[in-house]
Amino acid sequence: MRLVTGAFALLVFTQHAAADIRVGLAAPLSGPMASVGAAMRSALEAAIAEVNTSGGFADQRLTLVVADDACSSAKAEQAATSLIAERPALVIGHPCSGAATKAATLYRRAGVLLIAVGARHPDVTKGGDADALVLRLGGRDDRQGDAAAHWLIEHAPTGRIAIVHDRTAYARAIATRAKAALDAASVGSVVDLTIVAGNRDYRETVAEIRAAGAEAVFFAGFPDEAAIIAAGLAENGPAIPLLGTDSLATPGFAEIARRTTTPVRVLLPSDPQALAPPTDAQDTLAPAIGPHHGSAALAQAALEAWLSTIRRIGTTDAVSAGGALRDSAVETRTLGVLRFDKNGDLVGEAFVPASAAAIGWVRER
């Protein structure tokens, strides 16, 4: 009798488990980024509990399955493999770019929908227009040039602009994209200046900026060289505002920027939550997840966007849900309206300007 009872109990458990809709979370739950992963987990646990209380989806409960990617490419492969084995309808997470890039390939191959949150490397969604299985809730590194062009146009009334960059691939790529965006906007006069990193004197570069009559400067490079150029611009002539790439967003350079008379700004990844209108959902979420509200808010918004979409289309099929997310804007309580482009990237500002303050760099919008 005990064997029959045990077998029956196992059958009932299996039937209930099969009826659940699994949602995967891949996040750093160990290592230096563990607090970020913990915040994301807490946010999703609370959100899923709320969904289940209100009836789930088509009378099916959501179940959270979690894997630790340790913010590492190697661990991300293990985490993705373990989650894929659970046959989830959705995976959220991999906030570190290396981990997300590695894992995205595996999810595509397995036919699993991934909404990567916070990962900024362009390769996360590379080739994403060929399927609908990988989306990104966050900005892309390579879109700094677009943000820079927008800022430069605002700060150069007659279109006289200088772009200064070193010879690294990172700086050259951003500077090239900024120049292309300025050209597309038919900006009047753009001077493109290259420097050699490691020099202690850039007086010639500063003189060229002045000679061009530049009203605004974009610097793509690193803090040591930017500090020298900012100091040179402060020495002679009227102040010229300078915008730098996110590589300048260090505490040390913030202190330099606060002391110089050159108006200095740097680009920082946009915070979708900060840009969204305040909501009751944000207020109730904050106490539960502590200081990493941004990462957790992204995770919760990803769940909300997916759940709203599957309710609209009536299926949890990965390709159908991913395609529907790309085809239509979706309303979330946490971040407001979200839109994804055909490549799976979030539509909107990827980077915003930030100014130096005593606490470091503060986004201006």
Side-chain angles (χ1 to χ4, degrees):
M1 178 62 69
R2 287 182 180 177
L3 287 175
V4 172
T5 303
F8 178 75
L10 179 60
L11 176 62
V12 170
F13 175 80
T14 303
Q15 288 174 335
H16 279 294
D20 287 349
I21 300 171
R22 294 178 177 84
V23 174
L25 168 65
L29 300 172
S30 61
M33 296 288 288
S35 56
V36 173
M40 294 170 70
R41 181 175 188 166
S42 295
L44 286 181
E45 286 175 342
I48 285 174
E50 181 182 350
V51 171
N52 287 336
T53 299
S54 63
F57 169 73
D59 294 327
Q60 292 177 283
R61 292 173 54 83
L62 303 187
T63 300
L64 185 67
V65 290
V66 180
D68 178 17
D69 72 6
C71 196
S72 150
S73 297
K75 288 287 184 69
E77 187 170 2
Q78 298 173 19
T81 300
S82 68
L83 287 177
I84 289 167
E86 296 284 346
R87 302 183 61 148
L90 167 71
V91 173
I92 296 170
H94 293 296
C96 299
S97 288
T101 301
K102 184 71 173 181
T105 301
L106 301 180
Y107 294 123
R108 281 196 183 99
R109 191 180 301 154
V112 172
L113 177 62
L114 167 68
I115 302 180
V117 297
R120 293 164 39 195
H121 196 284
D123 283 355
V124 173
T125 51
K126 185 176 182 180
D129 56 345
D131 58 51
L133 291 173
V134 177
L135 298 98
R136 181 206 313 268
L137 187 49
R140 282 175 52 152
D141 275 335
D142 61 344
R143 293 183 176 172
Q144 287 197 63
D146 298 331
H150 179 74
W151 185 91
L152 290 164
I153 291 169
E154 285 185 346
H155 290 80
T158 65
R160 296 195 304 276
I161 290 167
I163 297 177
V164 182
H165 60 91
D166 62 28
R167 300 171 191 271
T168 61
Y170 158 82
R172 189 169 59 251
I174 296 173
T176 299
R177 182 145 180 167
K179 178 66 164 56
L182 292 169
D183 289 343
S186 300
V187 171
S189 177
V190 180
V191 58
D192 190 356
L193 305 173
T194 60
I195 63 170
V196 177
N199 286 351
R200 300 179 62 86
D201 188 344
Y202 294 104
R203 279 179 289 188
E204 183 176 333
T205 301
V206 172
E208 290 183 88
I209 293 170
R210 292 284 185 196
E215 300 166 295
V217 178
F218 177 49
F219 180 84
F222 297 93
D224 289 349
E225 292 75 25
I228 297 170
I229 289 174
L233 289 173
E235 288 179 359
N236 299 299
I240 302 176
L242 182 147
L243 175 71
T245 50
D246 67 337
S247 57
L248 304 188
T250 65
F253 189 67
E255 189 58 34
I256 291 170
R258 291 177 63 209
R259 293 198 306 263
T260 184
T261 57
T262 298
V264 175
R265 300 292 185 271
V266 301
L267 291 170
L268 287 182
S270 64
D271 178 356
Q273 181 207 337
L275 299 175
T279 66
D280 293 340
Q282 290 177 2
D283 294 338
T284 57
L285 178 64
I289 61 181
H292 295 289
H293 189 182
S295 299
L298 291 173
Q300 177 162 330
L303 179 71
E304 291 170 355
W306 171 78
L307 190 61
S308 175
T309 298
I310 64 170
R311 283 173 172 162
R312 175 169 61 85
I313 65 176
T315 179
T316 61
D317 175 73
V319 173
S320 299
L325 280 163
R326 295 184 190 206
D327 289 342
S328 304
V330 59
E331 179 81 28
T332 68
R333 286 192 307 159
T334 305
L335 298 185
V337 177
L338 300 177
R339 294 177 178 83
F340 297 92
D341 64 22
K342 67 177 183 179
N343 199 55
D345 290 308
L346 186 67
V347 175
E349 290 182 298
F351 288 82
V352 295
S355 55
I359 59 172
W361 295 97
V362 179
R363 293 175 180 84
E364 295 183 341
R365 62 175 187 271

